[in-house]
Amino acid sequence: MKNVREIKFYHLSKELRLHFLEELNNIEFEAYSIVLNKIRLKHLLQRKNMNDIYVDMIIKLLNEIYFKESFDLTIDSFLPLNKIKELELKILSINEFKNSKIKENSSEKIIGIQFADLIAGACFQKFERQENGYIEKINKKHNIYYY
């Protein structure tokens, strides 16, 4: 893995995916995922831009998670700048989150985003392929919400 610039779920063998998810159990963390049911929300997907839905999903997920204090949120840098600013304004307008910091960065540079990709891949396998083996590795530290 020395020459690998970024850990991505779909670029790893099954053994490495399971190993990395298993390793997550050795650190203190909590993971939260929000799942979009594309069939049930087909009408929404036809009317709204995916970036708008992504921003809405982040806000919904943050409202589901109980934070005792402000937080730092780092997101992958695929959102257009205007959507990042919109997200930042929405988050900071929520009283409990007003001192939080939101930044974007390349997933290649932030190992936390890479592990979030592993967790997202495990969720995808659960909901799209009915393969629970990956997500079960972190079940005690992972919560799923629905959009």
Side-chain angles (χ1 to χ4, degrees):
M1 299 285 309
K2 281 184 185 179
N3 297 327
V4 175
R5 293 176 49 200
E6 183 176 14
I7 298 169
K8 295 291 256 179
F9 186 88
Y10 292 104
H11 295 157
L12 298 173
S13 68
K14 182 174 183 169
E15 293 78 18
L16 275 176
R17 292 174 191 164
L18 292 168
H19 171 74
F20 284 137
L21 289 166
E22 193 71 44
E23 283 298 309
L24 282 175
N25 289 311
N26 296 325
I27 62 173
E28 187 176 326
F29 85 101
E30 289 180 53
Y32 304 91
S33 298
I34 188 162
V35 177
L36 171 74
N37 184 328
K38 294 181 274 187
I39 295 169
R40 190 172 62 79
L41 297 174
K42 188 176 181 178
H43 65 283
L44 178 67
L45 296 170
Q46 292 170 344
R47 288 185 295 120
K48 270 188 135 177
N49 176 296
M50 278 308 294
N51 290 330
D52 291 331
I53 293 171
Y54 184 78
V55 168
D56 288 349
M57 289 175 72
I58 291 173
I59 298 300
K60 179 171 175 34
L61 185 58
L62 289 173
N63 280 313
E64 293 285 346
I65 302 168
Y66 177 72
F67 287 103
K68 297 176 186 161
E69 53 196 50
S70 60
F71 55 88
D72 292 343
L73 175 66
T74 303
I75 60 171
D76 199 355
S77 59
F78 71 88
L79 273 178
L81 186 58
N82 66 323
K83 290 299 167 189
I84 292 170
K85 294 294 180 196
E86 179 185 327
L87 175 63
E88 195 170 48
L89 286 172
K90 285 183 175 186
I91 290 172
L92 297 177
S93 71
I94 299 169
N95 195 38
E96 297 82 24
F97 304 157
K98 66 182 173 196
N99 294 318
S100 298
K101 292 181 177 56
I102 298 92
K103 58 186 171 191
E104 49 118 12
N105 209 326
S106 167
S107 58
E108 286 182 9
K109 297 178 184 174
I110 308 292
I111 193 72
I113 294 176
Q114 294 176 42
F115 275 95
D117 178 77
L118 284 173
I119 294 167
C123 278
F124 179 85
Q125 293 297 312
K126 174 182 174 64
F127 289 99
E128 292 288 325
R129 306 259 160 71
Q130 289 70 50
E131 169 58 55
N132 292 322
Y134 295 111
I135 207 70
E136 286 175 354
K137 293 291 180 191
I138 57 167
N139 227 10
K140 293 181 176 116
K141 296 182 175 197
H142 181 249
N143 300 289
I144 297 175
Y145 296 95
Y146 299 90
Y147 182 76

